[in-house]
Amino acid sequence: MECIPSESSIVIDYSNMYIREIHPTNQIYCEVEGALTISKGNECIFSEENILLLEFAKALNTWSKQPDLDFEYYSMDYEEGPVVYFRHETSQICSVGGIWLEGVCYEVESVELILACNAFIRKILNDLISRGVDIDLLF
């Protein structure tokens, strides 16, 4: 597997967020989806439509409490391999990859990765609040 080092910061973002009808009986994590992107500097390293964004945010939130562990995000929609993963190469460097990156991973500083995850979580929660979704019980 080829790992590409980089000095640039990482950004985890989304667009085209779509919220289906939310009812108390629905599993809310399946109801929020959109296009997920992960970029390093000016380079987009991951871009995929129809990702369960809230499910991904919940997985990031769980991982952020123990960031010294590796992270693998398996979606309810796709379980054949990790859609996105973060694997520790050293105590300060993680490789970022996923099932659709075809053997290529990108090295990032662990601290930058944690900051990017926290920013993603804050953004999606703020967007949900602005759309009237009660977020108190999400995480």
Side-chain angles (χ1 to χ4, degrees):
M1 174 179 298
E2 177 187 9
C3 280
I4 302 167
S6 175
E7 302 296 321
S8 303
S9 63
I10 188 162
V11 175
I12 304 171
D13 203 0
Y14 63 88
S15 59
N16 304 323
M17 184 169 74
Y18 174 75
I19 304 172
R20 296 185 200 110
E21 283 192 50
I22 297 176
H23 300 286
T25 58
N26 285 1
Q27 190 171 20
I28 190 170
Y29 299 102
C30 297
E31 302 300 322
V32 180
E33 66 180 49
L36 176 66
T37 58
I38 302 175
S39 303
K40 285 181 51 107
N42 294 328
E43 181 182 7
C44 180
I45 61 173
F46 181 91
S47 179
E48 192 66 37
E49 299 284 331
N50 305 315
I51 298 292
L52 298 177
L53 298 173
L54 189 54
E55 177 192 56
F56 181 64
K58 181 182 180 195
L60 290 177
N61 187 62
T62 300
W63 174 76
S64 71
K65 294 173 184 165
Q66 294 183 308
D68 53 323
L69 301 176
D70 289 345
F71 169 79
E72 290 188 342
Y73 167 61
Y74 289 85
S75 175
M76 289 183 234
D77 282 351
Y78 190 84
E79 297 177 355
E80 294 180 29
V83 175
V84 175
Y85 66 76
F86 312 145
R87 296 187 179 138
H88 289 275
E89 301 299 324
T90 69
S91 62
Q92 297 178 345
I93 300 292
C94 284
S95 60
V96 176
I99 191 75
W100 298 307
L101 290 177
E102 300 177 8
V104 176
C105 63
Y106 295 81
E107 292 182 345
V108 298
E109 290 185 24
S110 302
V111 172
E112 286 188 9
L113 187 56
I114 293 166
L115 292 173
C117 291
N118 290 336
F120 178 87
I121 293 165
R122 278 192 310 276
K123 180 181 176 187
I124 197 165
L125 291 177
N126 287 334
D127 280 354
L128 291 171
I129 290 168
S130 72
R131 294 176 186 215
V133 175
D134 182 5
I135 65 163
D136 289 338
L137 301 175
L138 291 181
F139 302 147

